[in-house]
Amino acid sequence: MAGLAESGSNPDVELLYDINGLAKDAPHWFDRVMEFVGEYGLLFAIVLLVLGCWWSVRRRGGEDAASNVAALVWAPLAAGVAVLVNVPIRGFVERPRPFKSHDGLEVLVAGKDDFSFVSDHATLCMALAVALFVANRKFGLLAIVLAVFGGFIRVYMGVHYPTDVVGGFALGTAVALLLSPVAMALLTPLTRAVERSPRVGWLVSARGRGDAAGRDSVIPGARKESAEAGDRDLAA
């Protein structure tokens, strides 16, 4: 398994050289920007999208706020689980970084001495993006585009083969989707409990306890209507 994609005639290697060759032709400052974006920037941007989606959901409130927030809580958890699943995969495949097996690559970041397959960055970004897509199509689609671009940059930087990135995308997607029903079954009751809390309910819904009280009644809004009726009786 360690010899995966060792041959220069392998399309995986050819694509690696084609994409990494762009780094050789680019200005030094541009490579430094790509290094920062590939290492930190895009992952940080996807995390900001998750937080932005959470802010939008809590402001909107509504009966589905708890389930929507639960889906957003699953996003970072899915990323963590996917990386944990990747640990034994990397140990089994033991694929060296491409610059250790192929000469002439422009390596933009040093110190990458661990195994190459599957890419942790690609796994993290795609798990976050797909879980976010399940929660919100608009935010999730943008996150998926950023994740794909991040995978391209990992190859551009010379630290991963294209198939390392594709494997990371597949792993992140599989974990986010396949474990989502179980995660939602466990997280939704928790977020509903948080929503009912007078102290931390704002984390789920910005509308406060009044809406939660209405949802707890047998007929939605019954308590509110009863209170208004009582006020009218007192006024009479």
Side-chain angles (χ1 to χ4, degrees), residues 58-81:
R58 67 169 291 276
R59 286 187 63 187
R60 185 172 65 249
E63 294 185 359
D64 59 347
S67 59
N68 288 337
V69 171
L72 292 173
V73 172
W74 169 236
L77 293 177
V81 171

Side-chain angles (χ1 to χ4, degrees), residues 86 89-90 115-120 123 160 164-165 167-169 171:
N86 189 30
I89 295 176
R90 293 177 78 136
F115 295 123
S116 183
F117 186 90
V118 182
S119 167
D120 277 338
T123 302
H160 281 294
D164 296 339
V165 171
F169 289 164
L171 177 58

